[in-house]
Amino acid sequence: MLTKRIIPCLDVKDGRTVKGVNFVNLRDAGDAVELGALYAAQGADELVYLDITATIDGRSTFIELVKRVAQTINIPFTVGGGISSIADVSALLHAGADKVSINSAAVRNPDLINELSLEFGSQCIVVAIDTRYIDIENGKEHIVHTHGGRKPTDLRTIPWAKEVEDRGAGELLLTSMDTDGTKNGFALELTATISGNANIPVIASGGAGEMAHFYDVFTTGKADAGLAASIFHFREIDIPDLKAYLGDRKLPIRLTR
Amino acid sequence: MKTVIIKYNAGNVQSVMYALDRLGAGYIYTDDVTEITTADKVIFPGVGEASTTMNYLRQTGLDKLIPTLKQPVFGTCVGMQLMCRYSEENDTTCMGIFDVDVKRFPATAGMKVPHMGWNNISDYKTPLTDSIPENAFMYFVHSYAAPVCEYTVATCDYTFPFSAMLHKDNFYAAQFHCEISGNAGQQIIENFLKL
């Protein structure tokens, strides 16, 4: 049975993980490769590496990192952050990334989604959508945001999700800026609406604080995968415990122990 | 031992090379006929679309060469599909090593296409799964699949039961991506190299 995926996300700056991590058994907690390998060994189903470097030098460092990750780990991983061209994607895939995630560039130039999926195949093109529920002229609406969720666009989230699928995205990474960082749970209703409309997998992100939140997002939220960062980095939730918890509750889960 | 990864217009095969590196297995990445025919093991990877990749194989004559190979050949993902008779993906005639037609997953409520993620394989009948526990999870990404047939040596289920692995004579194939299927996937590659 196709299983629900658990995906830790690692923010990387200048080749190192940014968010403080609390793994005593790691030689170097900032080593993005070592941390990824640990998650893979613990049963993570995929990894996401997000490059938050703003400089050109940082970008080449990131490609080197992608190469080391691909050499080391034997599960799929997605890379994202500042990707805006076919050349960017080509470099990252050739370094060994399995998928790339595009965000702001897709909003700026939606045709890029079509171009990338034709060039590299839909299966490796993830479109990330950062969304926030905000006041608009006639009430409140889910609106796509860019720049790390700070800048609203003119796009409504639900039709935008459908459009990126129609343009050839292979997967959606939906982050609710309303729930992100709250630890109060994923945005269940919005995730369910988008995943229910979509014929491509939806990764839910933002708000995970306890194991039950993953259960909720896979059931009520209809998500195909759940992504989180700090709760894994700070060991508030251990991946093997989380997977056992979900398996005990009869969700299809890849148990590795 | 000489292992060749067949070079053609398939997508990214970097992770296949890294998987061989992790096993300490050397390889040559080539489309050279002599190199391929003199290899001890041949890996035929694949990421891409059936008609485009098949056209390329025809232009280079690899479509005639591959079915005549005598050493163990291992096709993965689209590589496996190209070893079948026909694919519904853009109405493509394939190499016909396995006498089975590749079909698109039907539109089914609640079942997204592509089939993407970890799914379990069962009913092993191949040395490639030696020492792998029954119902092991492998990583799949595909919209087309070969139904269960006389060459099926491992099955998987997504909207219909399909061939996770095929085997006929010296030809082996897997629909999933061994190279990113964790330790179980790595074991399959290792088992192939040990044949």
Side-chain angles (χ1 to χ4, degrees):
Chain A
M1 198 171 196
L2 183 64
T3 57
K4 302 290 188 184
R5 287 171 281 153
I6 301 294
I7 307 178
C9 178
L10 293 81
D11 286 348
V12 174
K13 190 173 186 183
D14 302 322
R16 295 178 60 78
T17 49
V18 173
K19 281 182 185 159
V21 283
N22 185 19
F23 284 102
V24 286
N25 50 345
L26 279 189
R27 199 161 26 90
D28 175 2
D31 183 345
V33 179
E34 207 180 339
L35 185 57
L38 176 72
Y39 285 139
Q42 285 185 335
D45 295 305
E46 284 186 45
L47 302 173
V48 170
Y49 283 90
L50 207 54
D51 183 21
I52 58 167
T53 314
T55 63
I56 305 281
D57 284 355
R59 173 126 319 247
S60 57
T61 312
F62 187 64
I63 288 182
E64 277 308 302
L65 171 77
V66 169
K67 195 173 165 187
R68 288 200 294 129
V69 171
Q71 285 168 334
T72 308
I73 67 164
N74 57 16
I75 62 168
F77 71 102
T78 300
V79 297
I83 297 169
S84 62
S85 68
I86 286 185
D88 290 343
V89 173
S90 181
L92 291 163
L93 293 178
H94 281 102
D98 297 296
K99 309 178 198 175
V100 295
S101 164
I102 56 169
N103 191 339
S104 301
V107 172
R108 272 198 310 274
N109 172 22
D111 288 340
L112 181 65
I113 305 167
N114 306 60
E115 291 163 16
L116 291 175
S117 67
L118 275 176
E119 181 77 21
F120 304 103
S122 286
Q123 82 290 336
C124 64
I125 306 302
V126 181
V127 174
I129 301 176
D130 292 343
T131 179
R132 199 185 281 276
Y133 194 54
I134 57 169
D135 292 317
I136 57 163
E137 270 176 40
N138 308 315
K140 288 194 87 172
E141 187 60 58
H142 294 285
I143 297 291
V144 177
H145 283 60
T146 55
H147 297 78
R150 292 189 304 276
K151 200 171 155 188
T153 68
D154 298 331
L155 295 166
R156 290 172 186 237
T157 305
I158 294 168
W160 173 243
K162 201 65 205 164
E163 181 179 342
V164 303
E165 175 181 346
D166 293 343
R167 285 177 176 275
E171 199 164 30
L172 294 175
L173 168 50
L174 179 71
T175 303
S176 165
M177 305 313 296
D178 301 305
T179 57
D180 197 34
T182 65
K183 295 189 181 177
N184 287 329
F186 293 95
L188 298 179
E189 199 179 320
L190 179 63
T191 306
T193 302
I194 286 178
S195 192
N197 282 340
N199 197 35
I200 54 176
V202 173
I203 306 168
S205 159
E210 52 192 88
M211 294 199 278
H213 294 154
F214 286 90
Y215 180 83
D216 293 342
V217 84
F218 290 143
T219 51
T220 314
K222 299 181 186 170
D224 299 283
L227 178 142
S230 57
I231 53 158
F232 295 135
H233 301 333
F234 291 111
R235 300 199 70 174
E236 290 164 28
I237 294 178
D238 265 334
I239 291 170
D241 293 345
L242 173 60
K243 296 188 91 175
Y245 171 92
L246 297 169
D248 286 347
R249 281 155 187 78
K250 306 295 174 220
L251 285 183
I253 289 291
R254 181 178 71 112
L255 295 171
T256 48
R257 69 171 180 192
Chain B
M1 187 174 79
K2 176 164 146 188
T3 302
V4 158
I5 301 174
I6 295 183
K7 186 175 180 178
Y8 68 116
N9 65 331
N12 188 24
V13 298
Q14 192 61 59
S15 42
V16 175
M17 297 183 188
Y18 288 148
L20 291 174
D21 289 341
R22 281 193 292 273
L23 290 167
Y27 56 82
I28 306 168
Y29 181 49
T30 182
D31 56 3
D32 181 83
V33 173
T34 310
E35 292 280 23
I36 295 170
T37 49
T38 57
D40 299 299
K41 299 281 159 54
V42 175
I43 294 175
F44 181 51
V47 174
E49 187 274 325
S51 67
T52 316
T53 43
M54 200 57 218
N55 275 337
Y56 183 88
L57 293 179
R58 278 196 201 95
Q59 283 162 18
T60 53
L62 287 168
D63 69 316
K64 295 282 185 292
L65 173 72
I66 294 168
T68 65
L69 293 174
K70 299 291 177 233
Q71 65 276 65
V73 177
F74 188 24
T76 65
C77 198
V78 174
M80 162 165 151
Q81 298 186 358
L82 298 179
M83 289 160 80
C84 296
R85 183 173 53 199
Y86 168 83
S87 171
E88 283 185 0
E89 186 170 22
N90 292 316
D91 192 22
T92 305
T93 302
C94 301
M95 287 188 283
I97 294 167
F98 302 113
D99 192 18
V100 58
D101 294 349
V102 174
K103 298 191 182 315
R104 187 173 167 87
F105 286 119
T108 310
M111 307 292 267
K112 295 175 178 181
V113 178
H115 172 223
M116 180 189 283
W118 296 85
N119 201 335
N120 57 306
I121 63 169
S122 1
D123 306 322
Y124 310 156
K125 292 173 211 137
T126 163
L128 296 197
T129 51
D130 280 357
S131 84
I132 293 174
E134 188 70 14
N135 295 315
F137 286 100
M138 299 293 171
Y139 191 83
F140 291 84
V141 184
H142 59 130
S143 301
Y144 297 81
V148 171
C149 62
E150 63 174 304
Y151 309 109
T152 304
V153 291
T155 61
C156 185
D157 197 326
Y158 191 73
T159 72
F160 63 86
F162 68 88
S163 300
M165 300 181 80
L166 296 169
H167 176 208
K168 180 191 174 192
D169 305 325
N170 56 316
F171 295 99
Y172 301 80
Q175 177 59 63
F176 48 86
H177 289 269
C178 311
E179 68 278 10
I180 48 172
S181 288
N183 297 339
Q186 190 151 310
Q187 185 67 53
I188 287 183
I189 300 173
E190 200 173 346
N191 289 342
F192 172 71
L193 296 175
K194 279 195 298 209
L195 283 175

